[in-house]
Amino acid sequence: MSATRHQILGGGGHHVLDYLRRMQVENPSFFYAIQGDNDHAGGNIFWVDATARMNYTYFGDTVIFDTTYRTNRYRVPFASFTGINHHGQPVLFGCALILNESESSFPWLFQTWLHAMSDHRPISITTDPDRLIQMAVTQVLPETRLRFNRLSIFKETQEKLAHVYQSNPTFEIEFKKCVNETETINEFESSWVSLLERYFVMDNEWLQSMYNARQQWVPVYMRDTFFGDFSITERNKGLNSFFEGFVNASTTIQMLIKQYEKAVANWHEKELKADYETTNTSPVLKTPSPMEKQAANLYTRRIFMKFQEELVETLANPATKIDDSGTIATYRVAKFGEEHKAHTVNFTSFEMKANCSCQMFEHSGIICRHILAVFRAKNVLTLPSQYVLKRWTRNAKIGDLQDEHASELPNNSRESLTDRYNILRQEAIKYVEEGAKSIHVYNVAMDALQEALKKVTSAKHQSPISAEDGALSNGNQELHAAGNTETMACQSADEKEKKIHELSTELESINRRCEVYRANLLAVLRDMEEQKLKLSVKVQNARLNLRE
């Protein structure tokens, strides 16, 4: 580790380690590992909590690896693995401190992260363009599709071609248009050559290197792979959306854990709000289509809004049959007045399958307007099941793990801990929905909840740690022993007693947070009642005015 970085971090590494040790004692499914450095304070550190590991079993098809600290000169070398949940929100899959960066750092980090995720490899991963990271992905995740973040490339291009940007204000606009808006490979190739010729940069080494790597960052080359983007330009942004506003260039290592916990709590609360909105409110339907009503009941709210946008667009994108071989019919779909931007859809009636040249479904998991236009022409009234990815539905975290990418997932990618967590979570949501319907029912629910809490606390004192949780903890220890790493586990009876006490304390803390959530929910319900009352008064006044 460099002297400069050691001076900046000071004794903060021990602060982080103390936190990780404490968290693992509190929850055996909490995982952390350390690479190198005998004093364990200067080696690279990786950690992931139980919730992140469970979320990965549902949303681990596409991953974002953020190393913003390397380009934005962060005081703390903080990296994160994130993904996208069923509401389109960022979800955490693990964190790391790269205190001693070397050629072995990223391969170790990816291998450790993959081990913590039961060797469940993602379909795709998005990172900053970097040689060391690219080598690590190729080595550890050879079958995973690697994509470079376009925003990073755009920023670096502006730095490398500063003289071009200054003397030609239109270059940036045309460069981004060439990358983001071309719809076919041929169109991109032609646009790229034309751009370089117009601005006399044909021999620029940077642009040539970016062109050579075009299959890893230009959207038109990536459409056949799932990345969870809602549009072809959506991911044209930074990678640190989960920790944005919480961890930045001024964050010190002493502040890091507190900010980390704030970010986790923030997104957890946002997911709960999105769950509540999806479950307890109904979207406005814009068509009489049974398919729209079906989608409203299947998808989370945000995903439904995107589907609805595509469905409504079918009205302006008619499908015209241009070929029919008997088993496969080919359609041309184009928006009125934009026939030059037509897309081709192949449709098999017997299997109710379709594929479109835009490849939106392959890229985002949401069916496109072009296929929906063909369904409309063929009088397909409901959405075929193969076009509903479970990861986008309101039941994404209920029941069996989604099977739309089953070939990429190992059989043991789920743990029974996941089942227990999600069954309890869903039952709790039902309980809250019923318990909040009136003040009387709320009071009864609160009394029952307090009684249940006492029984759970009593059971925790009487029951030993499950074999499965012990296996998870042992799995952590095996990795640390094999890779010159360290994992803390409680072995002695005294430590077990300490753990029980700490778990009870944590349970009480959670209960206090639940009280806050309940208070907020009650406030919302009261506000709704007030709004109803105001609306009722307005209706009565309107009726009186009509009589007069």
Side-chain angles (χ1 to χ4, degrees), residues 420-524:
R420 300 199 303 268
Y421 174 87
N422 284 296
I423 290 171
L424 285 171
R425 183 174 183 271
Q426 291 305 316
E427 291 302 315
I429 289 174
K430 294 177 186 176
Y431 188 85
V432 170
E433 290 170 4
E434 292 299 320
K437 288 184 176 179
S438 72
I439 297 298
H440 172 68
V441 176
Y442 169 81
N443 290 330
V444 172
M446 283 294 294
D447 291 340
L449 196 60
Q450 294 295 335
E451 186 63 30
L453 179 60
K454 293 177 183 177
K455 291 181 179 180
V456 170
T457 303
S458 175
K460 284 170 66 66
H461 283 279
Q462 297 171 10
S463 301
I465 299 173
S466 70
E468 170 229 339
D469 289 340
L472 285 173
S473 183
N474 290 338
N476 289 350
Q477 295 175 39
E478 290 171 8
L479 177 67
H480 301 325
N484 189 26
T485 58
E486 172 195 44
T487 301
M488 301 302 293
C490 64
Q491 299 294 335
S492 68
D494 290 341
E495 288 175 327
K496 289 180 179 179
E497 287 297 326
K498 179 182 177 183
K499 177 185 173 182
I500 291 172
H501 174 72
E502 289 177 340
L503 285 172
S504 300
T505 302
E506 176 66 15
L507 188 60
E508 291 174 4
S509 175
I510 292 172
N511 187 47
R512 286 194 296 270
R513 290 199 295 269
C514 287
E515 291 292 342
V516 174
Y517 284 130
R518 293 189 197 100
N520 290 338
L521 181 58
L522 186 58
V524 170

Side-chain angles (χ1 to χ4, degrees), residues 171-239:
F171 177 81
E172 181 179 12
I173 297 172
E174 292 195 39
F175 178 64
K176 290 183 177 179
K177 183 177 180 181
C178 170
V179 172
N180 291 331
E181 298 183 22
T182 49
E183 297 193 4
T184 67
I185 291 176
N186 288 337
E187 185 183 353
F188 167 75
E189 299 277 358
S190 175
S191 177
W192 181 272
V193 171
S194 175
L195 178 72
L196 268 58
E197 288 179 347
R198 283 200 311 278
Y199 291 96
F200 304 102
V201 287
M202 293 84 73
D203 299 325
N204 184 274
E205 291 184 7
W206 167 254
L207 290 176
Q208 186 59 50
S209 67
M210 287 299 95
Y211 177 78
N212 292 340
R214 63 193 179 281
Q215 294 186 356
Q216 292 175 309
W217 67 281
V218 177
V220 74
Y221 291 95
M222 315 293 291
R223 287 178 178 168
D224 61 345
T225 303
F226 181 81
F227 282 95
D229 296 346
F230 294 164
S231 70
I232 206 65
T233 59
E234 180 171 277
R235 193 52 60 75
N236 186 25
K237 56 187 179 184
L239 303 181

Side-chain angles (χ1 to χ4, degrees), residues 68 71-72 126-129 147-159 165 172 175-176 179-180 206 217 219 233-241 244:
T68 303
T71 54
N72 289 8
T126 303
T127 76
D128 282 323
R147 177 175 69 170
F148 294 142
N149 180 38
R150 288 200 304 282
L151 179 61
S152 299
I153 291 177
F154 287 154
K155 287 175 65 177
E156 195 162 356
T157 299
Q158 187 171 9
E159 294 171 3
Y165 276 67
E172 181 179 12
F175 178 64
K176 290 183 177 179
V179 172
N180 291 331
W206 167 254
W217 67 281
T233 59
E234 180 171 277
R235 193 52 60 75
N236 186 25
K237 56 187 179 184
L239 303 181
N240 63 334
S241 57
E244 188 174 6

Side-chain angles (χ1 to χ4, degrees), residues 207-390:
L207 290 176
Q208 186 59 50
S209 67
M210 287 299 95
Y211 177 78
N212 292 340
R214 63 193 179 281
Q215 294 186 356
Q216 292 175 309
W217 67 281
V218 177
V220 74
Y221 291 95
M222 315 293 291
R223 287 178 178 168
D224 61 345
T225 303
F226 181 81
F227 282 95
D229 296 346
F230 294 164
S231 70
I232 206 65
T233 59
E234 180 171 277
R235 193 52 60 75
N236 186 25
K237 56 187 179 184
L239 303 181
N240 63 334
S241 57
F242 190 92
F243 289 100
E244 188 174 6
F246 297 94
V247 179
N248 52 45
S250 63
T251 303
T252 65
I253 197 164
Q254 288 79 11
M255 298 165 54
L256 178 63
I257 293 302
K258 184 176 181 180
Q259 295 305 108
Y260 157 82
E261 290 190 323
K262 283 184 178 180
V264 170
N266 170 69
W267 285 110
H268 177 64
E269 183 177 353
K270 287 185 177 181
E271 181 181 345
L272 289 177
K273 288 181 178 179
D275 282 341
Y276 184 85
E277 181 187 15
T278 294
T279 306
N280 294 282
T281 63
S282 299
V284 177
L285 302 184
K286 297 182 179 180
T287 76
S289 167
M291 188 181 292
E292 184 182 16
K293 185 175 182 180
Q294 175 198 13
N297 292 326
L298 285 172
Y299 289 126
T300 60
R301 182 56 44 80
R302 185 180 179 193
I303 305 305
F304 169 72
M305 298 301 287
K306 179 57 185 173
F307 170 84
Q308 185 182 58
E309 177 187 331
E310 295 299 311
L311 183 66
V312 170
E313 281 295 325
T314 62
L315 301 174
N317 287 266
T320 305
K321 186 186 291 186
I322 58 176
D323 188 38
D324 194 341
S325 64
T327 56
I328 300 177
T330 303
Y331 291 81
R332 186 174 182 272
V333 183
K335 192 171 185 177
F336 291 118
E338 296 183 5
E339 284 74 14
H340 61 291
K341 293 184 178 180
H343 286 278
T344 303
V345 177
N346 294 317
F347 177 68
T348 307
S349 296
F350 179 73
E351 298 178 335
M352 203 62 69
K353 288 185 177 180
N355 60 75
C356 180
S357 58
C358 79
Q359 296 183 301
M360 176 176 161
F361 180 74
E362 289 81 357
H363 189 76
S364 70
I366 301 172
I367 198 166
C368 67
R369 62 193 64 181
H370 314 113
I371 292 179
L372 289 173
V374 172
F375 283 171
R376 186 165 175 263
K378 295 294 293 182
N379 202 31
V380 178
L381 299 179
T382 58
L383 198 57
S385 59
Q386 63 264 33
Y387 294 106
V388 181
L389 262 63
K390 187 177 179 182

